[in-house]
Amino acid sequence: MDWPMPATTSSCLPDVVDQSHRSCQLSRAQSDSHRDFGSYIAYKQMVSSPDSPRLPSSPLAMSHSHTFTFPEVEMRTRLEQKRKEALWDLFQSESTFLRDHLMAIKNVFMEPLKKVQVEGYVMFAEPEVLFGNLDELCCVTYAFCKEFASLLTKLVTPEGDLPVSEILSNIFEQSSKAASVSKAFHRYALNYINALNYLETLRRHHEFSEFEKWCNKDPRCKKLQLTDLLVAPVHHIMKIPLVLKEIESRTEDPLEKMTINKILQSKESSLRDLDDKMKWLKNFERLLEIQRNVVWPGVMEMEPKQYFPEFLKTALMKQPCERLIVSPRRQILMEGPLQLLDSGKATEMFVILFDDMLLVTRRKKALSKKWVKNLETFPKSSISENWPSPCNMKNMDVALKYIIYKQPLSLDRFFIHDVSPSEATLTKLENAFILISLNRFQQIVGVHTFQAYSEQIKVTWLMKLREAQDQWKSTLHQTVFKDQLAQGQKTGHN
């Protein structure tokens, strides 16, 4: 298919340098016999890079390959030079990221997609799902770079001195743009995994694949694929604390060091907050996925020999707990395949450990060969991977239905028995452990004997089960039992 070439857009971002002062600044920069730091910045703002047509006369058009060296100034220590070079690297990183990544996604992929959709092509694609809040990210990043450039030119002295901590304080603490940038990056990152999954869905359509290949020919991509560009914002937000750490390590003044450390802690806290949001989102998506694929057998299927009145059979066909799985506070701690000895023979089960219960399910089909090959590394939480990566469970037959075996086991209602080597030799139960279930009256109501595929997997399951039990019992004592005790004491006083 010959894609229609989109018209060159004239609506590029405005220049970060005031055009009215251009000729004056250029003349001053060229007349200086020694080009100090301030005139260097002014000069670079006037000169455009040949490979950056988008922003022809701003620092955003500077080549990232250029290495800046500070002029020699008396009494300037090498440590101070390194601090200023690190600050300059931070500015260069922000401006290059805007030009080579954000604007590349926007001008090479998103805008052309919208234009070809106007012509009636690739109508099934939804740009807002694939690119998220890219427009917002471009705007706030541009505003941040503009303010950064303004501070560099404003605060540099004729001798080339630069108040590093003051500039960092201005752009990260006192500026409202820093908060906007942080929020925009968080929104983008939270949509990132969905965007990757959606991209894989779009690539199944030949029309979109052809469109993507056409976009990749644009030189502004610099041989980067769409997936490389989409992950760039997620990687970029992790670099800022590293640069701040470098500046802090080269700072000697205690007050400046305290200021920079405060900014660093704020950025690290923001990253931890984002990481928590990503883990929660990934966990919640997996909960939804489990709930969609779980089948709760009716009581008549579970107890076929029991008598049920005819007039109740319709009402008893479904379980009222079908929507039990999804809860904003529920966490998946571990999941994976185990063998359950039922009626004297081993049956393959898929076991899911939550922070409040254990779910034992029976698959309709046997485990895939892919799972058997990866059993040594499989039993782990679905949220334990690095959060920028898409959920690996998508590739592991999650479309199959999982039938609940008997009933969920509350973590405070069973004991764990680790089958010792001598017991295993006697009963031929290798890598086995047993769960003994009790009801609220301390009556034994069930015994589940599990076999893991290796000793390592068994040890991991036992460790996770015991940790989850201890945490759940502690939670109950701090909430439910505490409230019951307080209510009982209140009743006794009355």
Side-chain angles (χ1 to χ4, degrees), residues 420-471:
S420 65
S422 58
E423 292 172 332
T425 305
L426 251 146
T427 56
K428 297 182 179 179
L429 292 176
E430 293 183 358
N431 309 319
F433 60 93
I434 302 169
L435 304 184
I436 303 167
S437 305
L438 309 172
N439 62 16
R440 61 179 297 190
F441 304 106
Q442 300 300 302
Q443 177 188 12
I444 296 176
V445 293
V447 176
H448 299 77
T449 303
F450 291 103
Q451 274 188 295
Y453 289 91
S454 71
E455 180 66 22
Q456 178 188 352
I457 294 175
K458 170 192 168 180
V459 170
T460 305
W461 270 107
L462 288 175
M463 180 184 69
K464 290 290 184 181
L465 281 167
R466 285 167 178 153
E467 287 177 356
Q469 277 193 317
D470 292 341
Q471 184 61 42

Short mmCIF file of all heavy atoms in Angstrom, two decimals, residues 420-471:
data_model
loop_
_atom_site.label_atom_id
_atom_site.label_comp_id
_atom_site.label_asym_id
_atom_site.label_seq_id
_atom_site.Cartn_x
_atom_site.Cartn_y
_atom_site.Cartn_z
N SER A 420 9.18 -34.76 55.63
CA SER A 420 10.62 -34.91 55.83
C SER A 420 11.19 -35.94 54.86
O SER A 420 10.45 -36.74 54.28
CB SER A 420 10.90 -35.35 57.27
OG SER A 420 10.36 -36.64 57.50
N PRO A 421 12.52 -35.95 54.68
CA PRO A 421 13.15 -36.94 53.77
C PRO A 421 12.82 -38.38 54.15
O PRO A 421 12.60 -39.23 53.28
CB PRO A 421 14.64 -36.66 53.91
CG PRO A 421 14.71 -35.21 54.31
CD PRO A 421 13.51 -34.96 55.16
N SER A 422 12.81 -38.68 55.46
CA SER A 422 12.49 -40.05 55.88
C SER A 422 11.04 -40.40 55.56
O SER A 422 10.75 -41.52 55.10
CB SER A 422 12.74 -40.20 57.39
OG SER A 422 11.95 -39.27 58.12
N GLU A 423 10.12 -39.46 55.80
CA GLU A 423 8.71 -39.70 55.46
C GLU A 423 8.53 -39.82 53.95
O GLU A 423 7.72 -40.62 53.47
CB GLU A 423 7.84 -38.54 55.98
CG GLU A 423 7.77 -38.48 57.51
CD GLU A 423 7.09 -37.22 58.00
OE1 GLU A 423 7.14 -36.18 57.28
OE2 GLU A 423 6.51 -37.26 59.11
N ALA A 424 9.29 -39.04 53.20
CA ALA A 424 9.19 -39.09 51.75
C ALA A 424 9.68 -40.43 51.21
O ALA A 424 9.09 -40.99 50.28
CB ALA A 424 10.02 -37.96 51.14
N THR A 425 10.75 -40.97 51.81
CA THR A 425 11.26 -42.27 51.39
C THR A 425 10.27 -43.38 51.68
O THR A 425 10.05 -44.28 50.87
CB THR A 425 12.59 -42.57 52.12
OG1 THR A 425 13.50 -41.50 51.88
CG2 THR A 425 13.20 -43.87 51.62
N LEU A 426 9.61 -43.27 52.84
CA LEU A 426 8.63 -44.29 53.25
C LEU A 426 7.40 -44.30 52.36
O LEU A 426 6.89 -45.35 51.97
CB LEU A 426 8.21 -44.03 54.70
CG LEU A 426 8.75 -45.08 55.68
CD1 LEU A 426 9.06 -44.50 57.02
CD2 LEU A 426 7.69 -46.15 55.83
N THR A 427 6.91 -43.10 52.02
CA THR A 427 5.64 -42.98 51.29
C THR A 427 5.82 -42.64 49.82
O THR A 427 4.83 -42.51 49.09
CB THR A 427 4.77 -41.88 51.94
OG1 THR A 427 5.51 -40.65 51.96
CG2 THR A 427 4.40 -42.26 53.36
N LYS A 428 7.07 -42.50 49.39
CA LYS A 428 7.39 -42.13 48.00
C LYS A 428 6.76 -40.80 47.62
O LYS A 428 6.24 -40.63 46.51
CB LYS A 428 6.93 -43.24 47.04
CG LYS A 428 7.66 -44.56 47.25
CD LYS A 428 7.23 -45.59 46.24
CE LYS A 428 7.98 -46.90 46.45
NZ LYS A 428 7.56 -47.95 45.48
N LEU A 429 6.80 -39.86 48.56
CA LEU A 429 6.27 -38.51 48.31
C LEU A 429 7.44 -37.53 48.25
O LEU A 429 7.79 -36.90 49.23
CB LEU A 429 5.30 -38.10 49.42
CG LEU A 429 3.98 -38.85 49.50
CD1 LEU A 429 3.18 -38.40 50.71
CD2 LEU A 429 3.16 -38.63 48.23
N GLU A 430 8.06 -37.43 47.10
CA GLU A 430 9.18 -36.52 46.94
C GLU A 430 8.69 -35.09 46.75
O GLU A 430 7.70 -34.84 46.09
CB GLU A 430 10.03 -36.93 45.73
CG GLU A 430 10.74 -38.27 45.91
CD GLU A 430 11.62 -38.60 44.71
OE1 GLU A 430 11.64 -37.79 43.76
OE2 GLU A 430 12.27 -39.65 44.74
N ASN A 431 9.42 -34.16 47.38
CA ASN A 431 9.12 -32.73 47.27
C ASN A 431 7.67 -32.42 47.64
O ASN A 431 6.99 -31.63 46.99
CB ASN A 431 9.39 -32.22 45.84
CG ASN A 431 10.76 -32.60 45.33
OD1 ASN A 431 11.74 -32.54 46.06
ND2 ASN A 431 10.83 -33.01 44.06
N ALA A 432 7.21 -33.02 48.73
CA ALA A 432 5.80 -32.90 49.10
C ALA A 432 5.63 -32.08 50.38
O ALA A 432 6.53 -31.98 51.21
CB ALA A 432 5.18 -34.28 49.29
N PHE A 433 4.45 -31.48 50.50
CA PHE A 433 4.02 -30.83 51.75
C PHE A 433 2.51 -30.97 51.85
O PHE A 433 1.81 -31.16 50.83
CB PHE A 433 4.45 -29.35 51.81
CG PHE A 433 3.90 -28.49 50.71
CD1 PHE A 433 2.72 -27.78 50.88
CD2 PHE A 433 4.59 -28.35 49.51
CE1 PHE A 433 2.23 -26.96 49.87
CE2 PHE A 433 4.10 -27.55 48.50
CZ PHE A 433 2.92 -26.85 48.68
N ILE A 434 2.01 -30.90 53.07
CA ILE A 434 0.59 -31.18 53.32
C ILE A 434 -0.06 -29.99 54.02
O ILE A 434 0.52 -29.42 54.96
CB ILE A 434 0.43 -32.46 54.18
CG1 ILE A 434 1.08 -33.66 53.48
CG2 ILE A 434 -1.04 -32.75 54.45
CD1 ILE A 434 1.22 -34.88 54.36
N LEU A 435 -1.26 -29.63 53.59
CA LEU A 435 -2.05 -28.59 54.24
C LEU A 435 -3.24 -29.24 54.92
O LEU A 435 -4.03 -29.96 54.28
CB LEU A 435 -2.55 -27.56 53.21
CG LEU A 435 -1.49 -26.86 52.35
CD1 LEU A 435 -2.14 -25.81 51.47
CD2 LEU A 435 -0.41 -26.23 53.22
N ILE A 436 -3.35 -29.05 56.23
CA ILE A 436 -4.45 -29.63 57.03
C ILE A 436 -5.43 -28.51 57.36
O ILE A 436 -5.11 -27.59 58.10
CB ILE A 436 -3.91 -30.29 58.31
CG1 ILE A 436 -2.86 -31.35 57.95
CG2 ILE A 436 -5.04 -30.89 59.13
CD1 ILE A 436 -2.05 -31.82 59.13
N SER A 437 -6.63 -28.60 56.80
CA SER A 437 -7.62 -27.52 56.92
C SER A 437 -8.52 -27.72 58.13
O SER A 437 -8.95 -28.85 58.43
CB SER A 437 -8.49 -27.45 55.65
OG SER A 437 -7.69 -27.33 54.51
N LEU A 438 -8.81 -26.61 58.80
CA LEU A 438 -9.71 -26.61 59.96
C LEU A 438 -10.86 -25.63 59.70
O LEU A 438 -10.71 -24.67 58.95
CB LEU A 438 -8.97 -26.17 61.22
CG LEU A 438 -7.64 -26.88 61.55
CD1 LEU A 438 -6.97 -26.18 62.72
CD2 LEU A 438 -7.88 -28.34 61.87
N ASN A 439 -12.01 -25.89 60.34
CA ASN A 439 -13.08 -24.89 60.31
C ASN A 439 -12.98 -24.01 61.55
O ASN A 439 -12.06 -24.16 62.36
CB ASN A 439 -14.46 -25.55 60.18
CG ASN A 439 -14.78 -26.45 61.37
OD1 ASN A 439 -14.14 -26.37 62.43
ND2 ASN A 439 -15.77 -27.31 61.20
N ARG A 440 -13.93 -23.12 61.74
CA ARG A 440 -13.85 -22.17 62.85
C ARG A 440 -13.99 -22.83 64.22
O ARG A 440 -13.68 -22.23 65.25
CB ARG A 440 -14.92 -21.08 62.70
CG ARG A 440 -16.33 -21.62 62.68
CD ARG A 440 -17.35 -20.50 62.55
NE ARG A 440 -17.31 -19.60 63.70
CZ ARG A 440 -18.20 -18.66 63.92
NH1 ARG A 440 -19.20 -18.47 63.09
NH2 ARG A 440 -18.10 -17.89 64.99
N PHE A 441 -14.45 -24.07 64.22
CA PHE A 441 -14.59 -24.83 65.47
C PHE A 441 -13.40 -25.75 65.72
O PHE A 441 -13.46 -26.65 66.56
CB PHE A 441 -15.89 -25.64 65.45
CG PHE A 441 -17.11 -24.80 65.19
CD1 PHE A 441 -17.75 -24.84 63.97
CD2 PHE A 441 -17.62 -23.97 66.19
CE1 PHE A 441 -18.87 -24.07 63.73
CE2 PHE A 441 -18.74 -23.19 65.96
CZ PHE A 441 -19.36 -23.23 64.72
N GLN A 442 -12.31 -25.53 64.95
CA GLN A 442 -11.09 -26.32 65.07
C GLN A 442 -11.30 -27.79 64.72
O GLN A 442 -10.61 -28.67 65.22
CB GLN A 442 -10.51 -26.20 66.49
CG GLN A 442 -10.14 -24.77 66.90
CD GLN A 442 -9.10 -24.16 65.97
OE1 GLN A 442 -8.01 -24.70 65.83
NE2 GLN A 442 -9.44 -23.05 65.33
N GLN A 443 -12.24 -28.05 63.83
CA GLN A 443 -12.48 -29.41 63.33
C GLN A 443 -11.73 -29.58 62.02
O GLN A 443 -11.80 -28.72 61.14
CB GLN A 443 -13.99 -29.62 63.10
CG GLN A 443 -14.31 -30.99 62.50
CD GLN A 443 -15.77 -31.09 62.11
OE1 GLN A 443 -16.49 -30.08 62.06
NE2 GLN A 443 -16.23 -32.29 61.82
N ILE A 444 -11.01 -30.69 61.89
CA ILE A 444 -10.30 -30.97 60.64
C ILE A 444 -11.32 -31.33 59.56
O ILE A 444 -12.08 -32.30 59.71
CB ILE A 444 -9.28 -32.10 60.81
CG1 ILE A 444 -8.20 -31.69 61.81
CG2 ILE A 444 -8.63 -32.47 59.47
CD1 ILE A 444 -7.20 -32.77 62.14
N VAL A 445 -11.31 -30.58 58.47
CA VAL A 445 -12.32 -30.78 57.41
C VAL A 445 -11.69 -31.14 56.07
O VAL A 445 -12.41 -31.42 55.10
CB VAL A 445 -13.20 -29.52 57.25
CG1 VAL A 445 -14.06 -29.31 58.48
CG2 VAL A 445 -12.34 -28.29 56.96
N GLY A 446 -10.37 -31.12 56.00
CA GLY A 446 -9.74 -31.47 54.72
C GLY A 446 -8.24 -31.60 54.84
O GLY A 446 -7.61 -30.96 55.69
N VAL A 447 -7.67 -32.44 53.99
CA VAL A 447 -6.22 -32.64 53.93
C VAL A 447 -5.80 -32.57 52.47
O VAL A 447 -6.33 -33.30 51.63
CB VAL A 447 -5.80 -33.99 54.53
CG1 VAL A 447 -4.29 -34.19 54.37
CG2 VAL A 447 -6.19 -34.08 56.00
N HIS A 448 -4.87 -31.65 52.16
CA HIS A 448 -4.40 -31.48 50.79
C HIS A 448 -2.91 -31.82 50.74
O HIS A 448 -2.10 -31.18 51.42
CB HIS A 448 -4.59 -30.03 50.32
CG HIS A 448 -6.02 -29.59 50.32
ND1 HIS A 448 -6.69 -29.23 51.47
CD2 HIS A 448 -6.90 -29.44 49.30
CE1 HIS A 448 -7.93 -28.87 51.17
NE2 HIS A 448 -8.07 -28.98 49.86
N THR A 449 -2.56 -32.82 49.96
CA THR A 449 -1.16 -33.23 49.81
C THR A 449 -0.66 -32.77 48.45
O THR A 449 -1.14 -33.21 47.41
CB THR A 449 -1.03 -34.76 49.92
OG1 THR A 449 -1.57 -35.19 51.17
CG2 THR A 449 0.43 -35.18 49.82
N PHE A 450 0.32 -31.86 48.48
CA PHE A 450 0.87 -31.30 47.26
C PHE A 450 2.27 -31.82 47.01
O PHE A 450 3.03 -32.04 47.94
CB PHE A 450 0.92 -29.77 47.35
CG PHE A 450 -0.44 -29.11 47.34
CD1 PHE A 450 -0.98 -28.63 48.53
CD2 PHE A 450 -1.15 -28.96 46.17
CE1 PHE A 450 -2.21 -28.02 48.55
CE2 PHE A 450 -2.39 -28.34 46.17
CZ PHE A 450 -2.92 -27.87 47.35
N GLN A 451 2.60 -31.98 45.74
CA GLN A 451 3.96 -32.32 45.32
C GLN A 451 4.45 -31.27 44.35
O GLN A 451 3.77 -30.95 43.36
CB GLN A 451 3.99 -33.70 44.65
CG GLN A 451 4.13 -34.86 45.62
CD GLN A 451 4.34 -36.18 44.89
OE1 GLN A 451 3.47 -36.65 44.17
NE2 GLN A 451 5.51 -36.77 45.08
N ALA A 452 5.64 -30.71 44.65
CA ALA A 452 6.26 -29.74 43.74
C ALA A 452 7.12 -30.47 42.73
O ALA A 452 7.45 -31.65 42.91
CB ALA A 452 7.08 -28.74 44.54
N TYR A 453 7.50 -29.78 41.66
CA TYR A 453 8.29 -30.41 40.61
C TYR A 453 9.78 -30.43 40.94
O TYR A 453 10.56 -31.06 40.22
CB TYR A 453 8.05 -29.70 39.28
CG TYR A 453 6.67 -29.95 38.72
CD1 TYR A 453 5.61 -29.09 39.03
CD2 TYR A 453 6.42 -31.05 37.92
CE1 TYR A 453 4.35 -29.33 38.53
CE2 TYR A 453 5.16 -31.30 37.41
CZ TYR A 453 4.12 -30.44 37.73
OH TYR A 453 2.87 -30.68 37.23
N SER A 454 10.18 -29.75 42.01
CA SER A 454 11.57 -29.80 42.44
C SER A 454 11.64 -29.36 43.90
O SER A 454 10.70 -28.75 44.43
CB SER A 454 12.45 -28.88 41.57
OG SER A 454 12.17 -27.53 41.86
N GLU A 455 12.75 -29.65 44.54
CA GLU A 455 12.95 -29.25 45.93
C GLU A 455 12.96 -27.72 46.07
O GLU A 455 12.44 -27.17 47.04
CB GLU A 455 14.27 -29.83 46.43
CG GLU A 455 14.60 -29.49 47.88
CD GLU A 455 13.64 -30.11 48.89
OE1 GLU A 455 12.98 -31.12 48.54
OE2 GLU A 455 13.54 -29.58 50.02
N GLN A 456 13.55 -27.05 45.09
CA GLN A 456 13.61 -25.59 45.13
C GLN A 456 12.21 -24.97 45.11
O GLN A 456 11.91 -24.04 45.85
CB GLN A 456 14.43 -25.07 43.94
CG GLN A 456 14.53 -23.55 43.88
CD GLN A 456 15.17 -23.06 42.60
OE1 GLN A 456 15.68 -23.86 41.81
NE2 GLN A 456 15.15 -21.76 42.39
N ILE A 457 11.35 -25.51 44.25
CA ILE A 457 9.98 -25.00 44.15
C ILE A 457 9.23 -25.25 45.46
O ILE A 457 8.48 -24.40 45.95
CB ILE A 457 9.24 -25.64 42.96
CG1 ILE A 457 9.87 -25.20 41.65
CG2 ILE A 457 7.76 -25.28 42.97
CD1 ILE A 457 9.30 -25.86 40.42
N LYS A 458 9.43 -26.42 46.05
CA LYS A 458 8.78 -26.74 47.32
C LYS A 458 9.20 -25.76 48.41
O LYS A 458 8.35 -25.23 49.15
CB LYS A 458 9.14 -28.18 47.73
CG LYS A 458 8.71 -28.53 49.15
CD LYS A 458 9.33 -29.84 49.62
CE LYS A 458 9.14 -30.03 51.11
NZ LYS A 458 9.73 -31.28 51.61
N VAL A 459 10.50 -25.50 48.51
CA VAL A 459 11.01 -24.58 49.53
C VAL A 459 10.42 -23.19 49.34
O VAL A 459 10.03 -22.52 50.31
CB VAL A 459 12.55 -24.53 49.48
CG1 VAL A 459 13.09 -23.41 50.35
CG2 VAL A 459 13.15 -25.87 49.93
N THR A 460 10.32 -22.77 48.10
CA THR A 460 9.76 -21.44 47.81
C THR A 460 8.29 -21.36 48.23
O THR A 460 7.86 -20.39 48.85
CB THR A 460 9.89 -21.12 46.31
OG1 THR A 460 11.25 -21.24 45.91
CG2 THR A 460 9.40 -19.70 46.02
N TRP A 461 7.52 -22.39 47.91
CA TRP A 461 6.10 -22.41 48.29
C TRP A 461 5.95 -22.38 49.82
O TRP A 461 5.11 -21.64 50.35
CB TRP A 461 5.41 -23.66 47.73
CG TRP A 461 4.82 -23.45 46.36
CD1 TRP A 461 5.28 -23.92 45.18
CD2 TRP A 461 3.64 -22.69 46.05
NE1 TRP A 461 4.48 -23.51 44.15
CE2 TRP A 461 3.45 -22.75 44.65
CE3 TRP A 461 2.72 -21.97 46.81
CZ2 TRP A 461 2.39 -22.13 44.00
CZ3 TRP A 461 1.66 -21.34 46.16
CH2 TRP A 461 1.50 -21.41 44.78
N LEU A 462 6.73 -23.19 50.51
CA LEU A 462 6.62 -23.24 51.97
C LEU A 462 6.97 -21.89 52.59
O LEU A 462 6.30 -21.42 53.52
CB LEU A 462 7.54 -24.33 52.53
CG LEU A 462 7.10 -25.78 52.28
CD1 LEU A 462 8.16 -26.75 52.79
CD2 LEU A 462 5.76 -26.06 52.96
N MET A 463 8.02 -21.25 52.08
CA MET A 463 8.42 -19.95 52.61
C MET A 463 7.31 -18.92 52.39
O MET A 463 6.94 -18.18 53.31
CB MET A 463 9.72 -19.50 51.93
CG MET A 463 10.22 -18.15 52.41
SD MET A 463 11.69 -17.59 51.52
CE MET A 463 10.98 -17.29 49.90
N LYS A 464 6.76 -18.87 51.17
CA LYS A 464 5.71 -17.90 50.86
C LYS A 464 4.44 -18.16 51.66
O LYS A 464 3.77 -17.23 52.12
CB LYS A 464 5.40 -17.93 49.36
CG LYS A 464 6.50 -17.36 48.47
CD LYS A 464 6.59 -15.85 48.65
CE LYS A 464 7.61 -15.24 47.70
NZ LYS A 464 7.72 -13.77 47.88
N LEU A 465 4.08 -19.43 51.82
CA LEU A 465 2.88 -19.78 52.59
C LEU A 465 3.01 -19.34 54.05
O LEU A 465 2.08 -18.76 54.62
CB LEU A 465 2.63 -21.29 52.51
CG LEU A 465 1.97 -21.81 51.23
CD1 LEU A 465 2.08 -23.33 51.16
CD2 LEU A 465 0.51 -21.38 51.15
N ARG A 466 4.17 -19.61 54.64
CA ARG A 466 4.36 -19.26 56.06
C ARG A 466 4.39 -17.74 56.25
O ARG A 466 3.81 -17.22 57.20
CB ARG A 466 5.64 -19.91 56.57
CG ARG A 466 5.47 -21.41 56.81
CD ARG A 466 6.79 -22.12 57.01
NE ARG A 466 6.59 -23.54 57.28
CZ ARG A 466 7.46 -24.49 57.02
NH1 ARG A 466 8.64 -24.17 56.47
NH2 ARG A 466 7.21 -25.76 57.29
N GLU A 467 5.06 -17.06 55.35
CA GLU A 467 5.10 -15.59 55.44
C GLU A 467 3.69 -15.01 55.29
O GLU A 467 3.31 -14.09 56.03
CB GLU A 467 6.01 -15.02 54.34
CG GLU A 467 7.48 -15.24 54.59
CD GLU A 467 8.34 -14.72 53.45
OE1 GLU A 467 7.77 -14.25 52.43
OE2 GLU A 467 9.58 -14.78 53.56
N ALA A 468 2.92 -15.52 54.34
CA ALA A 468 1.57 -15.03 54.12
C ALA A 468 0.67 -15.32 55.32
O ALA A 468 -0.15 -14.47 55.71
CB ALA A 468 0.98 -15.67 52.86
N GLN A 469 0.82 -16.50 55.90
CA GLN A 469 0.03 -16.84 57.09
C GLN A 469 0.33 -15.89 58.25
O GLN A 469 -0.59 -15.39 58.90
CB GLN A 469 0.31 -18.28 57.51
CG GLN A 469 -0.49 -19.32 56.74
CD GLN A 469 -0.41 -20.68 57.40
OE1 GLN A 469 0.66 -21.12 57.83
NE2 GLN A 469 -1.53 -21.37 57.48
N ASP A 470 1.61 -15.66 58.50
CA ASP A 470 1.99 -14.77 59.61
C ASP A 470 1.45 -13.36 59.40
O ASP A 470 0.93 -12.74 60.33
CB ASP A 470 3.52 -14.72 59.74
CG ASP A 470 4.10 -16.06 60.22
OD1 ASP A 470 3.34 -16.87 60.78
OD2 ASP A 470 5.32 -16.29 60.02
N GLN A 471 1.55 -12.88 58.17
CA GLN A 471 1.08 -11.53 57.87
C GLN A 471 -0.43 -11.42 58.00
O GLN A 471 -0.97 -10.45 58.54
CB GLN A 471 1.53 -11.13 56.46
CG GLN A 471 1.19 -9.70 56.07
CD GLN A 471 1.85 -8.67 56.97
OE1 GLN A 471 3.02 -8.80 57.31
NE2 GLN A 471 1.11 -7.65 57.37
#
